[in-house]
Amino acid sequence: MSFDFDIVLRYGPLLLSGLWTTVYICVLASLLAVAAGLAAALIYSLPFRAAKLLCRAYIEVMRGTPILILLFIVYYGGPSIGLTLAAETVGIVGLGFYGGGYFAEIFRAGFQSIPFGQIEAARMLGIPRRSIVVRIQIPQMLTLIIPPSTNQAIILVKESALLSIITVAELTKNTTQMVNETFAVIEPYVAVALLYWLIIEGIALAGGGLERRFSRTS
């Protein structure tokens, strides 16, 4: 049995369209996940029990619920409560807040890695809390959180394949269309596996580069 490159070439535009959709959804979802995770970690550090409980509930729900269930609830259940969103929007929001639960724990661990004496000294000098976070805590914890953050971004890319189930025309969805139209299996899935690998390798290389850069400056 030979590999038919002609099938891949004929369906190249469809695969590239799915690749673009996967990339931009994952980029936006990752940015949302980082923002949600950082916000949750900062709120969790506040000396208010209600805030801590709220953030802990968010983290546990996101980490304890399969992403597919969250997507189904928002996409198929949303209209019943007046929330009707496009499939791609659901994908971005779903992946973003799902990843935010994991990023929150990454950031929380990063904040806890900073010696409390530094924070206490900054407070005694009258440095505002915002400046303490931006100028003292975040720069020091970057080297520590980049590896797990890179890994989490890679996981989000892999999870994005589930968006095909809610009709998002990303890589997996378009590959399924290719299989249905050509009745070929090996060529489409080898091609899509290679494209996912390229995305993930790009993220890994970017993460490694950032880690080396901040290691030199820390």
Side-chain angles (χ1 to χ4, degrees):
M1 180 179 178
S2 61
F3 189 93
D4 189 353
F5 287 98
D6 184 60
I7 293 177
V8 178
L9 292 176
R10 282 192 288 113
Y11 281 85
L14 182 67
L15 292 176
L16 291 178
S17 174
L19 174 65
W20 164 247
T21 301
T22 294
V23 168
Y24 92 77
I25 284 179
C26 288
V27 168
L28 294 179
S30 295
L31 292 175
L32 177 58
V34 169
L38 180 59
L42 289 173
I43 294 173
Y44 191 87
S45 66
L46 297 175
F48 303 111
R49 181 174 175 79
K52 290 180 180 293
L53 290 175
L54 183 63
C55 288
R56 177 49 57 186
Y58 164 68
I59 292 170
E60 294 304 323
V61 169
M62 292 300 106
R63 295 198 307 169
T65 306
I67 178 61
L68 187 57
I69 301 301
L70 296 174
L71 294 174
F72 280 164
I73 290 174
V74 179
Y75 187 66
Y76 294 112
S80 65
I81 58 173
L83 181 64
T84 303
L85 299 174
E88 291 185 3
T89 303
V90 172
I92 294 169
V93 173
L95 282 175
F97 282 103
Y98 172 77
Y102 291 89
F103 274 107
E105 288 292 87
I106 293 172
F107 284 120
R108 189 171 69 87
F111 284 130
Q112 290 179 345
S113 69
I114 309 302
F116 183 72
Q118 295 185 20
I119 311 302
E120 194 173 40
R123 290 173 179 170
M124 291 179 65
L125 291 172
I127 299 176
R129 174 176 172 77
R130 178 180 178 182
S131 296
I132 292 175
V133 172
V134 174
R135 296 187 177 184
I136 298 176
Q137 292 180 288
I138 291 181
Q140 291 189 69
M141 74 178 191
L142 277 176
T143 303
L144 296 175
I145 67 171
I146 286 175
S149 296
T150 301
N151 187 59
Q152 186 56 45
I154 289 172
I155 290 173
L156 286 182
V157 172
K158 293 181 178 181
E159 297 283 11
S160 71
L162 294 173
L163 300 183
S164 62
I165 299 177
I166 60 169
T167 72
V168 176
E170 43 71 68
L171 263 178
T172 303
K173 178 71 173 178
N174 286 5
T175 303
T176 302
Q177 178 184 335
M178 181 178 171
V179 171
N180 292 337
E181 292 179 2
T182 63
F183 300 103
V185 175
I186 300 298
E187 292 85 353
Y189 287 120
V190 168
V192 77
L194 178 60
L195 291 175
Y196 275 116
W197 178 81
L198 289 174
I199 297 173
I200 290 169
E201 280 300 300
I203 295 172
L205 289 173
L210 287 174
E211 185 179 2
R212 289 190 295 273
R213 177 180 177 182
F214 286 110
S215 295
R216 289 195 298 267
T217 57
S218 61

